[in-house]
Structures are given as structure tokens and as C-alpha cells.
Amino acid sequence: MHLKLRLVLIAFAGIAIFLLYINIVFLDSLSRAHFKRMLPESVKALQSLEKSSLVDFRLVQSVKHRTYENVQALFAGKLDFTLNPFGVYDLPPEPLHLEVLFGAYRRRGYHTLWLEDLCWQWEWGLVKDLLALDAELPMADRWRRFQAALERAEVERVDLSLASCHVLKSLNAKDPFGKVPVVCFNGKLGDEYFLDYLHLYHGAMAAKRQPYISFFMSNTAHDPSGLRAKNLDSVLPKFIRSADRLSNTLTILLSDHGNSYGPYPEDTVDGKLELYHPFVFVVIPDQVRARLGPAKMDALRGNQDRLVSFLDLHYTLLSLVDPKPVVPPEHRQFRVNERGLWQPVPEPLHLPGLRGATHQPLVLRSAR
């Protein structure tokens, strides 16, 4: 698309920020508490940012202790507690509707990038969640099927994701789920390749003034022992510190749920609570804060100690490119507003008698 037309479309959308880049890094199976336990250097990196640059949603809650439902809520704004969970090894009942969020951005002239450390030729990851998995087909047909699903989902590029098959094969593994102590290639951590790629991608897009929204899912913490998450602490601090220096960029670092495997979540109260207590950190450089304006920034900061979920985050992102997002009636019971976290969310109801040894009191969002 011609640059001038692209900028006209962005202006037409009523976006508060001119030429905004959105960078989402998603760490699977890592609770807020385990982030603090295992990633001390990353915690220091977050603390090193200017107080005005970091928004920390301390009471964010998972919709489910599984990735699919949380990503569906984030991208599609879809949440249905009446459905029975599908089996881990089964195909989902419907694809991830990435096109709801990605499509809204692409209609405003944005590029979309999805990165993941999973092999599309195996049974996990986006190929499964888009219902494009069919191991009975020849490889060429499987690739065409996957490409068609990506197009429907408005995923423009997957780029470095395609290298994951080669990397995992070099480790004699088909997936990274706890079977290898560290995912690395040529002496470099897999996550480092992806985070470096995001930096290069941003530089290339910023040089051409091309807006984008990117999403990278890391499965390093998807490990029954909980120990492998420590590997992130050697590469994440550099990414965190650089995020505050990326021009016109909103960076979101988040997880979906805590560790759902092994004795810790099965046998301890804290482990069970951590299942539903992920983290969401948003890094907002000064020029982005200035263009957002004081009202939106005050709302974001005020919501740091409110009960929020990926449904709120969905509308937060959608409202940046959709001037009139619609919250369906079935979501009104959750007191979700069409501007997401750009507006104050309802005060939570505190239940001080229900708590874990290392956790905040359990809170519920009021339905009144």
C-alpha cells in the first residue's frame, strides 16, 4: 500500500497515536509469582524503567489455565464458559479467530507478524489452532492448507517461525514442551533469535514508516519442572530495556497462565492459585504517553490494581484502530467496556478470607 494512503487510513481510524507500532511478547505457562522467582534480572530490568514508562497490571486473571482460550479471548474477544473443554490432543472446536484483531489492524494499513517457537509440521501451535493440521496429506498440500489458514486469519507473515522445525530437529525433538533442558541453536538460545528478529523487524518497518502489530509466543516456560524458565533471564532484560527506547512503540509483555503440569499445581494451594495469575507489563515510551494523553494514561495506571483479563486487553487493542468497537451482550456481565483499559474498569470485590500464602487476596469484579 502506498505510504500516503496508509497514513490517511490511520488518521481516518481516529488513532490517538500517529504511526504506532505494537509489539506483543507472550510467555506461555509462566505465572506472575514464578516470573519474580526465576527471572530476577528481568525484574530488575523492569524496575530500571522510568516509573512513568511501565504499567503493571497486578491483578490480571486468566480465562482458563490453557493457552487456546486465553489467546482466543485476546484476539477474538471470545469467551464462552458453557463449552466443555476439548481434549489436549484433539483439534479445537473452532479456529483461533485471529482475524478479528489482526483484520481490524490490516484494514487500517498495518502489517501483521506472528512468531512462535513451534514446528508447523508437528501437532502443536498455530497450524493446529487454525484447524489446518492434517498429517495424512502430502507435505506440499499441508503447506498450502496452512497458508490458506494464515490468509483467513489475516496473518501476513510468520518469518522466523519456520526455522523452528529445523532447530527442534537438531535437538532430536518435535516440540519444546519439557523434553529438552534448553532450546538453543549454534550456541544461542532460541528466544534470543526471536527477540533479536523482533528488533530487526522493528528497525526495518520504522525506517519505511510502515505500521505493524507483532505477536511472539515463547514456550520456554512450558516445562513441568518450572526450571527452564530461568533461561529467559539471560535474554529478556535486554529486550525490556530496549522497549522503552523504541520510537512510537507500545510493547506488551504477558503470559497466559501459570505452570499447569507436575506436583506444584496439583498438590499445593499456591500452585493452584498461580494457574490463574499471569502477568501483563506494558512499556510506554514518553512520546507514546504524550500522544495517548493524560486521560488514557490515568485510566491505565488506575487499572493496575483492578481485576482485569485478556477480554479487557482485547478491547484495549481493538479500540486503537476501531473507532466504534462493539461489546456483545454476553460480555456485558463481565463489565467490559468498548475502550478496554483506556477507561477505568469496575472496582473489585475483595474476599480477604480466601488467599494463598504468597498471593493477593482473591478478588472478584462486581457484576452490579
Side-chain angles (χ1 to χ4, degrees), residues 38-58:
M38 298 298 290
L39 280 65
E41 295 305 315
S42 300
V43 171
K44 289 178 185 177
L46 288 167
Q47 292 171 339
S48 73
L49 301 178
E50 291 185 23
K51 188 175 180 181
S52 55
S53 297
L54 179 66
V55 181
D56 174 9
F57 295 100
R58 291 178 279 268

Side-chain angles (χ1 to χ4, degrees), residues 7-20:
L7 298 181
V8 167
L9 286 174
I10 295 170
F12 175 75
I15 302 174
I17 304 170
F18 184 74
L19 208 62
L20 174 67

Side-chain angles (χ1 to χ4, degrees), residues 5 20 26 75 78 97 123 206 226 229 239 296 326 354 365:
L5 175 58
L20 174 67
F26 183 100
F75 275 87
K78 197 173 178 64
H97 291 293
E123 61 181 333
F239 172 80
K296 285 186 172 66
V326 177
L354 298 176
R365 184 180 292 186

